Coordinates of all heavy atoms in Angstrom, one line a residue:
M9 N 115.1 203.4 -97.0 CA 113.9 204.0 -96.6 C 113.2 203.1 -95.5 O 113.2 201.9 -95.6 CB 113.0 204.2 -97.8 CG 111.6 204.9 -97.4 SD 110.5 205.1 -98.8 CE 111.2 206.5 -99.5
D10 N 112.7 203.7 -94.5 CA 111.9 203.0 -93.5 C 110.7 202.3 -94.0 O 110.0 202.9 -94.8 CB 111.5 204.1 -92.4 CG 110.8 203.4 -91.2 OD1 110.8 202.2 -91.2 OD2 110.3 204.2 -90.4
N11 N 110.5 201.0 -93.7 CA 109.5 200.2 -94.2 C 108.1 200.8 -93.9 O 107.2 200.8 -94.7 CB 109.6 198.8 -93.7 CG 108.7 197.8 -94.5 OD1 108.4 198.1 -95.6 ND2 108.4 196.7 -93.9
S12 N 107.8 201.3 -92.7 CA 106.5 201.8 -92.3 C 106.3 203.1 -93.1 O 105.1 203.4 -93.5 CB 106.5 202.1 -90.8 OG 107.4 203.1 -90.5
R13 N 107.3 203.9 -93.4 CA 107.2 205.1 -94.2 C 106.8 204.8 -95.6 O 106.0 205.4 -96.2 CB 108.5 205.9 -94.1 CG 108.4 207.3 -94.6 CD 109.7 208.0 -94.3 NE 109.7 209.2 -95.0 CZ 110.8 210.0 -95.0 NH1 111.9 209.6 -94.5 NH2 110.8 211.1 -95.7
F14 N 107.4 203.7 -96.2 CA 107.1 203.2 -97.5 C 105.7 202.8 -97.6 O 104.9 203.1 -98.5 CB 108.1 202.1 -97.9 CG 107.7 201.5 -99.2 CD1 108.1 202.2 -100.4 CD2 107.1 200.3 -99.3 CE1 107.8 201.7 -101.6 CE2 106.8 199.7 -100.6 CZ 107.2 200.4 -101.7
K15 N 105.2 202.0 -96.6 CA 103.8 201.5 -96.6 C 102.8 202.7 -96.5 O 101.8 202.7 -97.2 CB 103.6 200.6 -95.4 CG 104.2 199.2 -95.6 CD 103.9 198.4 -94.4 CE 104.6 197.0 -94.5 NZ 104.3 196.2 -93.3
G16 N 103.2 203.7 -95.8 CA 102.3 204.9 -95.7 C 102.2 205.6 -97.0 O 101.1 206.0 -97.4
R17 N 103.3 205.7 -97.7 CA 103.2 206.4 -99.0 C 102.5 205.5 -100.0 O 101.7 206.0 -100.9 CB 104.6 206.6 -99.5 CG 105.3 207.8 -98.9 CD 106.6 208.1 -99.5 NE 107.2 209.2 -98.8 CZ 108.4 209.7 -99.0 NH1 109.2 209.1 -99.9 NH2 108.9 210.7 -98.3
A18 N 102.6 204.2 -99.9 CA 101.9 203.3 -100.9 C 100.4 203.3 -100.6 O 99.7 203.4 -101.6 CB 102.5 201.8 -100.7
I19 N 100.0 203.4 -99.4 CA 98.6 203.5 -99.1 C 98.0 204.8 -99.6 O 97.0 204.9 -100.2 CB 98.3 203.3 -97.6 CG1 98.6 201.9 -97.2 CG2 96.9 203.7 -97.2 CD1 98.6 201.6 -95.7
F20 N 98.8 205.9 -99.4 CA 98.3 207.2 -99.9 C 98.2 207.2 -101.4 O 97.2 207.7 -101.9 CB 99.3 208.3 -99.5 CG 99.1 209.6 -100.1 CD1 98.0 210.4 -99.6 CD2 99.8 210.1 -101.2 CE1 97.7 211.6 -100.2 CE2 99.5 211.3 -101.8 CZ 98.5 212.1 -101.3
L21 N 99.1 206.6 -102.1 CA 99.0 206.5 -103.6 C 97.9 205.7 -104.0 O 97.1 206.0 -105.0 CB 100.3 206.0 -104.2 CG 101.5 207.0 -104.1 CD1 102.8 206.2 -104.6 CD2 101.2 208.2 -105.0
L22 N 97.6 204.6 -103.3 CA 96.5 203.7 -103.6 C 95.2 204.5 -103.5 O 94.3 204.4 -104.3 CB 96.5 202.5 -102.8 CG 95.4 201.5 -103.0 CD1 95.5 200.9 -104.4 CD2 95.5 200.3 -102.0
V23 N 95.0 205.2 -102.3 CA 93.8 205.9 -102.1 C 93.6 207.0 -103.1 O 92.5 207.3 -103.6 CB 93.8 206.5 -100.7 CG1 92.7 207.5 -100.4 CG2 93.7 205.4 -99.6
A24 N 94.7 207.7 -103.5 CA 94.6 208.8 -104.5 C 94.2 208.2 -105.8 O 93.4 208.8 -106.5 CB 96.0 209.5 -104.6
M25 N 94.7 207.0 -106.2 CA 94.4 206.5 -107.5 C 92.9 206.0 -107.5 O 92.3 206.1 -108.6 CB 95.3 205.3 -107.8 CG 96.7 205.7 -108.2 SD 97.8 204.5 -108.8 CE 97.5 203.0 -107.8
V26 N 92.4 205.5 -106.4 CA 91.0 205.1 -106.3 C 90.1 206.3 -106.3 O 89.0 206.2 -107.0 CB 90.8 204.2 -105.1 CG1 89.3 203.9 -104.9 CG2 91.6 202.9 -105.3
L27 N 90.4 207.3 -105.6 CA 89.5 208.5 -105.5 C 89.6 209.4 -106.7 O 88.6 210.1 -107.0 CB 89.8 209.2 -104.2 CG 89.4 208.6 -102.9 CD1 89.8 209.4 -101.8 CD2 87.9 208.2 -102.9
S28 N 90.7 209.5 -107.4 CA 90.8 210.4 -108.5 C 89.7 210.3 -109.6 O 89.1 211.3 -110.0 CB 92.2 210.3 -109.2 OG 93.2 210.8 -108.3
P29 N 89.4 209.1 -110.1 CA 88.3 209.0 -111.1 C 87.0 209.4 -110.5 O 86.2 210.1 -111.2 CB 88.3 207.6 -111.5 CG 89.7 207.0 -111.2 CD 90.1 207.8 -110.0
T30 N 86.7 209.1 -109.3 CA 85.5 209.5 -108.7 C 85.4 211.0 -108.5 O 84.3 211.6 -108.8 CB 85.4 208.8 -107.3 OG1 85.5 207.4 -107.4 CG2 84.1 209.1 -106.6
L31 N 86.4 211.6 -108.1 CA 86.4 213.1 -108.0 C 86.2 213.8 -109.4 O 85.6 214.8 -109.5 CB 87.7 213.6 -107.3 CG 87.8 213.2 -105.8 CD1 89.2 213.6 -105.3 CD2 86.7 213.7 -105.0
A32 N 86.9 213.2 -110.4 CA 86.8 213.8 -111.7 C 85.3 213.7 -112.2 O 84.8 214.6 -112.8 CB 87.7 213.0 -112.7
V33 N 84.7 212.6 -112.0 CA 83.3 212.4 -112.4 C 82.4 213.4 -111.7 O 81.5 214.1 -112.2 CB 82.8 211.0 -112.2 CG1 81.3 210.9 -112.3 CG2 83.4 210.0 -113.1
N34 N 82.6 213.6 -110.4 CA 81.9 214.5 -109.6 C 82.1 215.9 -110.1 O 81.2 216.8 -110.1 CB 82.2 214.4 -108.1 CG 81.7 213.2 -107.5 OD1 80.7 212.6 -108.0 ND2 82.3 212.8 -106.4
E35 N 83.3 216.3 -110.5 CA 83.6 217.6 -111.0 C 82.9 217.8 -112.3 O 82.3 218.9 -112.6 CB 85.1 217.7 -111.2 CG 85.5 219.1 -111.7 CD 87.0 219.2 -111.9 OE1 87.7 218.7 -111.0 OE2 87.4 219.8 -112.8
C36 N 82.8 216.8 -113.2 CA 82.1 216.9 -114.5 C 80.6 217.1 -114.3 O 79.9 217.7 -115.1 CB 82.4 215.7 -115.3 SG 83.9 215.9 -116.3
M37 N 80.1 216.4 -113.3 CA 78.6 216.4 -113.1 C 78.2 217.3 -112.0 O 77.2 217.1 -111.3 CB 78.2 214.9 -112.8 CG 78.6 214.0 -113.9 SD 77.9 214.5 -115.5 CE 78.8 213.4 -116.6
S38 N 79.0 218.3 -111.7 CA 78.7 219.2 -110.6 C 77.6 220.2 -110.8 O 77.2 220.8 -109.8 CB 80.0 220.0 -110.2 OG 80.3 220.9 -111.3
G39 N 77.1 220.3 -112.0 CA 76.1 221.3 -112.3 C 76.6 222.6 -112.7 O 75.9 223.5 -113.1
H40 N 77.9 222.8 -112.6 CA 78.6 224.0 -113.1 C 78.9 223.9 -114.6 O 79.2 222.8 -115.1 CB 79.9 224.3 -112.3 CG 79.7 224.4 -110.9 ND1 79.1 225.5 -110.3 CD2 79.9 223.6 -109.8 CE1 79.0 225.4 -109.0 NE2 79.5 224.2 -108.7
S41 N 78.9 225.0 -115.3 CA 79.2 224.9 -116.7 C 80.7 225.3 -116.9 O 81.3 225.9 -116.1 CB 78.3 225.9 -117.5 OG 78.6 227.2 -117.1
T42 N 81.2 224.8 -118.0 CA 82.6 225.1 -118.4 C 82.7 225.3 -119.9 O 81.7 225.0 -120.6 CB 83.5 223.9 -118.0 OG1 84.9 224.3 -118.2 CG2 83.2 222.6 -118.8
D43 N 83.7 225.9 -120.3 CA 83.9 226.2 -121.8 C 84.6 225.0 -122.4 O 85.7 224.6 -121.9 CB 84.7 227.5 -122.0 CG 83.9 228.7 -121.6 OD1 82.6 228.7 -121.6 OD2 84.5 229.7 -121.2
C44 N 84.1 224.5 -123.5 CA 84.8 223.5 -124.3 C 84.9 223.9 -125.7 O 84.1 224.6 -126.3 CB 83.9 222.2 -124.3 SG 83.7 221.4 -122.7
F45 N 86.0 223.4 -126.4 CA 86.1 223.6 -127.8 C 85.2 222.7 -128.5 O 85.0 221.6 -128.1 CB 87.6 223.4 -128.2 CG 88.5 224.4 -127.7 CD1 89.4 224.2 -126.7 CD2 88.6 225.7 -128.3 CE1 90.2 225.1 -126.2 CE2 89.4 226.7 -127.8 CZ 90.2 226.4 -126.8
S46 N 84.6 223.2 -129.6 CA 83.7 222.3 -130.4 C 84.2 222.4 -131.8 O 84.0 223.3 -132.6 CB 82.3 222.9 -130.3 OG 81.4 222.1 -131.1
C47 N 84.9 221.3 -132.3 CA 85.5 221.3 -133.6 C 85.7 219.8 -134.1 O 85.8 218.9 -133.3 CB 86.8 222.1 -133.7 SG 88.1 221.4 -132.6
N48 N 86.0 219.7 -135.3 CA 86.3 218.4 -136.0 C 87.4 218.7 -137.0 O 87.3 219.6 -137.8 CB 85.1 217.9 -136.7 CG 85.3 216.5 -137.2 OD1 86.4 216.1 -137.5 ND2 84.2 215.7 -137.2
S49 N 88.5 217.9 -136.9 CA 89.6 218.2 -137.8 C 89.3 218.0 -139.3 O 90.0 218.5 -140.1 CB 90.8 217.4 -137.4 OG 90.5 216.0 -137.5
W50 N 88.3 217.3 -139.6 CA 87.9 217.1 -141.0 C 87.5 218.5 -141.6 O 87.7 218.7 -142.8 CB 86.7 216.1 -141.2 CG 87.2 214.7 -141.1 CD1 87.0 213.9 -140.0 CD2 87.9 214.0 -142.0 NE1 87.6 212.7 -140.2 CE2 88.1 212.7 -141.5 CE3 88.4 214.3 -143.3 CZ2 88.8 211.7 -142.2 CZ3 89.1 213.3 -144.0 CH2 89.3 212.0 -143.4
S51 N 86.8 219.3 -140.8 CA 86.4 220.6 -141.3 C 87.1 221.8 -140.7 O 87.0 222.9 -141.2 CB 84.9 220.8 -141.0 OG 84.6 220.7 -139.6
D52 N 87.9 221.6 -139.7 CA 88.7 222.7 -139.1 C 90.1 222.2 -138.7 O 90.2 221.5 -137.7 CB 87.9 223.1 -137.8 CG 88.5 224.4 -137.2 OD1 89.6 224.8 -137.6 OD2 87.8 225.0 -136.3
P53 N 91.1 222.6 -139.5 CA 92.4 222.1 -139.2 C 93.0 222.5 -137.8 O 94.0 221.9 -137.3 CB 93.3 222.6 -140.3 CG 92.5 223.7 -141.0 CD 91.0 223.4 -140.6
R54 N 92.4 223.5 -137.2 CA 92.9 224.0 -135.9 C 92.6 223.0 -134.8 O 93.1 223.1 -133.7 CB 92.2 225.3 -135.5 CG 92.5 226.4 -136.5 CD 91.7 227.7 -136.2 NE 90.2 227.4 -136.3 CZ 89.3 228.2 -136.1 NH1 89.6 229.5 -135.7 NH2 88.0 227.9 -136.3
C55 N 91.8 222.0 -135.1 CA 91.3 221.0 -134.1 C 92.4 219.9 -134.0 O 92.4 219.2 -133.0 CB 90.0 220.4 -134.6 SG 89.1 219.6 -133.2
H56 N 93.3 219.7 -135.0 CA 94.3 218.7 -134.9 C 95.3 218.9 -133.8 O 95.4 220.0 -133.2 CB 95.1 218.7 -136.2 CG 94.6 217.8 -137.3 ND1 94.5 216.4 -137.1 CD2 94.1 218.0 -138.5 CE1 94.0 215.9 -138.2 NE2 93.8 216.8 -139.1
D57 N 96.0 217.8 -133.5 CA 97.1 217.9 -132.5 C 98.4 218.2 -133.3 O 98.5 217.7 -134.4 CB 97.2 216.6 -131.8 CG 96.2 216.4 -130.7 OD1 95.7 217.4 -130.2 OD2 95.8 215.3 -130.4
P58 N 99.3 218.8 -132.8 CA 99.3 219.4 -131.4 C 98.4 220.7 -131.4 O 98.4 221.5 -132.4 CB 100.7 219.8 -131.2 CG 101.3 220.0 -132.5 CD 100.6 219.1 -133.4
F59 N 97.6 220.8 -130.4 CA 96.6 221.9 -130.3 C 97.4 223.1 -129.8 O 98.2 223.0 -128.8 CB 95.5 221.4 -129.3 CG 94.3 222.3 -129.3 CD1 93.4 222.2 -130.3 CD2 94.1 223.2 -128.3 CE1 92.3 223.0 -130.4 CE2 93.0 224.1 -128.3 CZ 92.1 223.9 -129.4
N60 N 97.1 224.2 -130.4 CA 97.8 225.5 -130.1 C 97.0 226.2 -129.0 O 96.1 227.0 -129.3 CB 98.0 226.3 -131.3 CG 98.9 227.5 -131.0 OD1 99.3 227.8 -129.9 ND2 99.2 228.3 -132.1
W61 N 97.4 226.1 -127.8 CA 96.7 226.7 -126.6 C 97.1 228.2 -126.5 O 96.5 229.0 -125.8 CB 97.1 226.0 -125.3 CG 96.5 224.7 -125.3 CD1 97.1 223.5 -125.6 CD2 95.2 224.3 -124.9 NE1 96.3 222.4 -125.4 CE2 95.1 222.9 -125.0 CE3 94.0 225.0 -124.5 CZ2 93.9 222.2 -124.8 CZ3 92.9 224.3 -124.3 CH2 92.8 222.9 -124.4
T62 N 98.2 228.6 -127.2 CA 98.7 229.9 -127.1 C 98.1 230.9 -128.1 O 98.5 232.1 -128.1 CB 100.2 230.0 -127.2 OG1 100.6 229.5 -128.4 CG2 100.8 229.1 -126.0
S63 N 97.2 230.4 -129.0 CA 96.6 231.3 -130.0 C 95.7 232.3 -129.4 O 95.2 232.1 -128.2 CB 95.8 230.5 -131.0 OG 96.6 229.7 -131.8
R64 N 95.4 233.4 -130.1 CA 94.4 234.3 -129.6 C 93.1 233.6 -129.7 O 92.9 232.7 -130.5 CB 94.4 235.6 -130.5 CG 95.7 236.4 -130.3 CD 95.7 237.6 -131.2 NE 95.3 237.3 -132.6 CZ 94.6 238.1 -133.4 NH1 94.3 239.3 -133.0 NH2 94.3 237.7 -134.6
I65 N 92.1 234.0 -128.9 CA 90.8 233.4 -128.9 C 90.1 233.4 -130.2 O 89.4 232.5 -130.6 CB 89.9 233.9 -127.7 CG1 88.8 233.0 -127.4 CG2 89.5 235.3 -128.0 CD1 89.1 231.8 -126.7
E66 N 90.4 234.5 -131.0 CA 89.8 234.6 -132.3 C 90.3 233.6 -133.3 O 89.7 233.3 -134.3 CB 90.0 236.0 -132.9 CG 89.5 237.2 -132.0 CD 90.4 237.6 -130.9 OE1 91.6 237.4 -131.0 OE2 89.9 238.1 -129.9
D67 N 91.5 233.1 -133.0 CA 92.2 232.1 -133.9 C 92.0 230.7 -133.5 O 92.5 229.8 -134.1 CB 93.7 232.4 -134.0 CG 93.9 233.8 -134.6 OD1 93.1 234.3 -135.4 OD2 95.0 234.4 -134.2
M68 N 91.2 230.5 -132.5 CA 90.9 229.1 -132.0 C 89.6 228.6 -132.5 O 88.7 229.4 -132.9 CB 90.9 229.1 -130.4 CG 92.3 229.4 -129.9 SD 92.2 229.2 -128.1 CE 93.8 228.5 -127.8
P69 N 89.4 227.3 -132.4 CA 88.0 226.8 -132.8 C 86.9 227.3 -131.9 O 87.2 227.9 -130.8 CB 88.2 225.3 -132.5 CG 89.7 225.0 -132.5 CD 90.3 226.3 -132.0
P70 N 85.7 227.2 -132.3 CA 84.6 227.7 -131.5 C 84.5 227.1 -130.1 O 84.9 226.0 -129.9 CB 83.3 227.3 -132.3 CG 83.8 226.9 -133.6 CD 85.3 226.5 -133.5
I71 N 84.0 227.9 -129.2 CA 83.9 227.5 -127.8 C 82.4 227.4 -127.5 O 81.6 228.3 -127.8 CB 84.6 228.5 -126.8 CG1 86.1 228.4 -127.1 CG2 84.3 228.1 -125.4 CD1 86.9 229.4 -126.3
V72 N 82.0 226.4 -126.8 CA 80.6 226.2 -126.3 C 80.5 226.0 -124.8 O 81.5 225.6 -124.2 CB 79.9 225.0 -127.0 CG1 79.8 225.2 -128.5 CG2 80.6 223.7 -126.7
Q73 N 79.4 226.5 -124.2 CA 79.2 226.2 -122.8 C 78.8 224.8 -122.6 O 78.0 224.2 -123.4 CB 78.0 227.1 -122.3 CG 78.4 228.5 -122.1 CD 79.3 228.7 -120.9 OE1 79.0 228.2 -119.8 NE2 80.4 229.4 -121.1
C74 N 79.3 224.1 -121.6 CA 79.1 222.7 -121.4 C 78.7 222.5 -119.9 O 79.4 223.0 -119.0 CB 80.4 222.0 -121.7 SG 80.3 220.2 -121.5
E75 N 77.7 221.7 -119.7 CA 77.3 221.3 -118.4 C 77.9 220.0 -117.9 O 77.8 219.6 -116.8 CB 75.7 221.1 -118.3 CG 74.9 222.4 -118.6 CD 75.1 223.4 -117.5 OE1 75.3 223.0 -116.3 OE2 75.1 224.6 -117.8
G76 N 78.6 219.3 -118.8 CA 79.3 218.1 -118.5 C 80.8 218.3 -118.5 O 81.4 219.2 -117.9
C77 N 81.5 217.4 -119.3 CA 82.9 217.4 -119.4 C 83.4 217.7 -120.9 O 82.7 217.4 -121.8 CB 83.5 216.1 -119.0 SG 83.2 215.6 -117.3
C78 N 84.5 218.3 -121.0 CA 85.1 218.5 -122.3 C 85.8 217.1 -122.7 O 86.5 216.5 -121.9 CB 86.2 219.6 -122.3 SG 85.5 221.2 -121.9
V79 N 85.6 216.7 -124.0 CA 86.2 215.5 -124.4 C 87.0 215.7 -125.7 O 86.6 216.6 -126.5 CB 85.2 214.3 -124.5 CG1 84.7 213.9 -123.2 CG2 84.1 214.7 -125.5
K80 N 88.0 214.8 -125.9 CA 88.7 214.8 -127.2 C 88.7 213.4 -127.7 O 89.0 212.5 -126.9 CB 90.1 215.3 -127.0 CG 91.0 215.2 -128.3 CD 92.4 215.6 -128.0 CE 93.3 214.5 -128.3 NZ 94.7 214.8 -128.1
M81 N 88.2 213.1 -128.9 CA 88.2 211.8 -129.5 C 89.1 211.8 -130.7 O 89.0 212.7 -131.6 CB 86.8 211.4 -129.8 CG 85.9 211.3 -128.6 SD 84.2 211.0 -129.1 CE 83.7 212.6 -129.8
V82 N 89.9 210.8 -130.8 CA 90.8 210.6 -132.0 C 90.5 209.3 -132.6 O 90.5 208.3 -131.9 CB 92.3 210.7 -131.6 CG1 93.2 210.6 -132.8 CG2 92.6 212.0 -130.8
R83 N 90.3 209.3 -133.9 CA 90.0 208.1 -134.6 C 91.0 207.8 -135.7 O 91.6 208.8 -136.2 CB 88.6 208.2 -135.3 CG 87.5 208.3 -134.3 CD 86.1 208.4 -134.9 NE 86.0 208.3 -136.4 CZ 84.9 208.4 -137.0 NH1 83.8 208.6 -136.4 NH2 84.9 208.3 -138.4
N84 N 91.2 206.5 -136.0 CA 92.1 206.1 -137.1 C 93.5 206.7 -136.9 O 94.1 207.2 -137.8 CB 91.5 206.5 -138.5 CG 90.2 205.9 -138.7 OD1 89.9 204.8 -138.4 ND2 89.3 206.8 -139.2
V85 N 94.0 206.5 -135.7 CA 95.4 207.1 -135.4 C 96.4 206.5 -136.3 O 96.4 205.2 -136.5 CB 95.7 206.8 -133.9 CG1 97.1 207.3 -133.5 CG2 94.7 207.5 -133.0
G86 N 97.3 207.3 -136.8 CA 98.4 206.8 -137.6 C 98.1 206.5 -139.0 O 98.9 206.0 -139.7
T87 N 96.9 206.8 -139.5 CA 96.5 206.6 -140.8 C 96.1 207.9 -141.5 O 96.0 208.9 -140.8 CB 95.2 205.7 -140.9 OG1 94.1 206.4 -140.4 CG2 95.4 204.4 -140.1
P88 N 96.0 207.9 -142.8 CA 95.6 209.2 -143.5 C 94.2 209.6 -143.1 O 93.9 210.8 -143.3 CB 95.7 208.8 -145.0 CG 96.6 207.6 -145.1 CD 96.4 206.9 -143.8
L89 N 93.4 208.7 -142.6 CA 92.0 209.1 -142.2 C 91.9 209.5 -140.7 O 90.8 209.7 -140.2 CB 91.1 207.9 -142.4 CG 91.0 207.4 -143.8 CD1 90.2 206.1 -143.8 CD2 90.4 208.4 -144.7
E90 N 93.1 209.8 -140.1 CA 93.1 210.2 -138.7 C 92.3 211.5 -138.5 O 92.4 212.5 -139.3 CB 94.5 210.5 -138.1 CG 94.5 210.9 -136.7 CD 95.9 210.9 -136.1 OE1 96.8 210.1 -136.6 OE2 96.2 211.8 -135.3
S91 N 91.4 211.5 -137.5 CA 90.6 212.7 -137.2 C 90.5 213.0 -135.7 O 90.5 212.0 -134.9 CB 89.2 212.6 -137.8 OG 88.5 211.6 -137.2
T92 N 90.4 214.2 -135.4 CA 90.3 214.6 -134.0 C 89.0 215.4 -133.8 O 88.7 216.3 -134.6 CB 91.4 215.5 -133.6 OG1 92.6 214.8 -133.8 CG2 91.3 215.9 -132.1
R93 N 88.2 215.1 -132.8 CA 87.0 215.8 -132.5 C 87.1 216.3 -131.1 O 87.3 215.5 -130.2 CB 85.8 214.9 -132.7 CG 84.5 215.6 -132.4 CD 83.3 214.7 -132.7 NE 82.1 215.4 -132.2 CZ 81.0 214.8 -131.9 NH1 80.9 213.4 -132.0 NH2 79.9 215.4 -131.5
R94 N 86.8 217.6 -130.8 CA 86.7 218.1 -129.5 C 85.3 218.6 -129.3 O 84.8 219.3 -130.1 CB 87.7 219.3 -129.3 CG 89.2 218.8 -129.5 CD 90.1 220.0 -129.6 NE 91.4 219.6 -130.1 CZ 92.4 219.1 -129.4 NH1 92.3 219.0 -128.1 NH2 93.5 218.8 -130.0
T95 N 84.7 218.2 -128.2 CA 83.3 218.6 -127.9 C 83.0 218.5 -126.4 O 83.9 218.2 -125.6 CB 82.4 217.7 -128.8 OG1 81.1 218.2 -128.7 CG2 82.4 216.3 -128.3
C96 N 81.8 218.6 -126.1 CA 81.2 218.5 -124.8 C 80.5 217.1 -124.6 O 79.9 216.7 -125.6 CB 80.3 219.6 -124.5 SG 79.4 219.5 -122.9
T97 N 80.5 216.5 -123.5 CA 79.7 215.3 -123.3 C 78.2 215.5 -123.5 O 77.5 214.6 -123.9 CB 79.9 214.7 -121.9 OG1 79.7 215.7 -120.9 CG2 81.3 214.2 -121.7
D98 N 77.7 216.8 -123.4 CA 76.3 217.1 -123.7 C 76.0 216.8 -125.1 O 74.9 216.5 -125.5 CB 76.0 218.5 -123.3 CG 76.2 218.9 -121.9 OD1 76.2 218.0 -121.0 OD2 76.2 220.1 -121.6
D99 N 77.0 216.9 -126.0 CA 76.8 216.8 -127.4 C 77.1 215.4 -128.0 O 77.0 215.2 -129.2 CB 77.6 217.8 -128.2 CG 77.2 219.2 -127.9 OD1 76.1 219.5 -127.5 OD2 78.1 220.1 -127.9
L100 N 77.4 214.5 -127.1 CA 77.8 213.1 -127.5 C 76.5 212.2 -127.6 O 75.7 212.3 -126.7 CB 78.8 212.5 -126.6 CG 80.2 213.0 -126.6 CD1 81.0 212.2 -125.6 CD2 80.8 212.9 -128.0
D101 N 76.5 211.4 -128.6 CA 75.4 210.4 -128.8 C 76.1 209.1 -129.0 O 76.5 208.9 -130.2 CB 74.4 210.8 -129.9 CG 73.3 209.9 -130.0 OD1 73.0 209.2 -128.9 OD2 72.7 209.8 -131.1
I102 N 76.3 208.3 -128.0 CA 77.0 207.1 -128.2 C 76.0 205.9 -128.2 O 75.3 205.7 -127.2 CB 78.1 206.9 -127.0 CG1 79.1 208.0 -127.1 CG2 78.8 205.5 -127.1 CD1 80.0 208.1 -125.9
N103 N 76.1 205.1 -129.2 CA 75.2 204.0 -129.3 C 76.0 202.7 -128.8 O 77.0 202.3 -129.5 CB 74.8 203.8 -130.8 CG 73.9 202.6 -131.0 OD1 73.6 201.9 -130.0 ND2 73.4 202.4 -132.2
L104 N 75.6 202.2 -127.7 CA 76.3 201.0 -127.1 C 75.7 199.7 -127.6 O 76.1 198.7 -127.2 CB 76.3 201.1 -125.6 CG 77.0 202.4 -125.0 CD1 76.9 202.4 -123.5 CD2 78.5 202.4 -125.4
F105 N 74.7 199.8 -128.5 CA 74.1 198.6 -129.0 C 75.0 198.0 -130.1 O 75.2 198.6 -131.1 CB 72.7 198.9 -129.5 CG 72.0 197.7 -130.0 CD1 71.5 196.7 -129.2 CD2 71.8 197.5 -131.4 CE1 70.8 195.6 -129.6 CE2 71.1 196.4 -131.9 CZ 70.6 195.5 -131.0
M106 N 75.4 196.7 -129.9 CA 76.3 196.1 -130.9 C 75.5 194.9 -131.5 O 75.0 194.0 -130.8 CB 77.6 195.6 -130.3 CG 78.4 196.8 -129.8 SD 79.9 196.3 -128.9 CE 80.8 195.5 -130.2
V107 N 75.5 194.8 -132.8 CA 74.8 193.8 -133.5 C 75.8 192.7 -133.8 O 76.9 192.9 -134.3 CB 74.1 194.3 -134.8 CG1 73.4 193.2 -135.6 CG2 73.2 195.4 -134.5
D108 N 75.3 191.4 -133.7 CA 76.1 190.2 -134.0 C 77.4 190.1 -133.2 O 78.4 189.7 -133.7 CB 76.4 190.2 -135.5 CG 75.2 190.0 -136.4 OD1 74.2 189.5 -135.8 OD2 75.2 190.5 -137.5
H109 N 77.4 190.6 -132.0 CA 78.6 190.4 -131.1 C 78.3 189.7 -129.8 O 77.4 190.0 -129.2 CB 79.3 191.7 -130.8 CG 79.9 192.3 -132.0 ND1 81.2 192.0 -132.5 CD2 79.5 193.3 -132.9 CE1 81.5 192.7 -133.6 NE2 80.5 193.5 -133.8

């Protein structure tokens, strides 16, 4: 492969990797709403992975309107206490205050 052609591709990939997270944040905070699933696998087994995208809408977890981004959080992976939560960033309350650290 030609060295200048390789450098051009490498620069394109670098720019794409740097801009992708920025574009994703802009898309989430665009002011447009999107539909997100709202469920917790502790109370709704349909929330677990693998998630069945081919189910009828009536057989899926509840859907909520979201002004932010849809998120999936998985806790205690690989243990009997593993849980999956799907929700909207509008519904998240994250406490970043850590005591004794």
Side-chain angles (χ1 to χ4, degrees):
M9 179 182 280
D10 183 6
N11 195 23
S12 63
R13 194 170 169 190
F14 176 76
K15 286 181 184 178
R17 286 185 180 176
I19 290 172
F20 172 77
L21 287 174
L22 180 63
V23 170
M25 288 188 321
V26 169
L27 289 180
S28 291
T30 304
L31 294 174
V33 168
N34 288 339
E35 182 177 322
C36 274
M37 304 303 171
S38 67
H40 300 287
S41 65
T42 187
D43 292 332
C44 295
F45 291 104
S46 180
C47 62
N48 188 331
S49 62
W50 282 104
S51 58
D52 188 347
R54 300 173 297 178
C55 202
H56 267 300
D57 285 329
F59 194 75
N60 187 358
W61 294 97
T62 61
S63 291
R64 293 180 312 148
I65 195 73
E66 301 85 23
D67 297 331
M68 291 185 145
I71 296 175
V72 296
Q73 284 288 312
C74 179
E75 295 293 327
C77 297
C78 300
V79 292
K80 176 182 119 178
M81 296 175 288
V82 181
R83 295 179 5 180
N84 302 315
V85 176
T87 71
L89 299 175
E90 182 173 326
S91 68
T92 303
R93 180 178 173 204
R94 298 172 196 274
T95 189
C96 173
T97 53
D98 296 344
D99 297 330
L100 288 180
D101 185 24
I102 299 174
N103 183 357
L104 298 176
F105 181 71
M106 296 175 67
V107 179
D108 297 332
H109 289 280

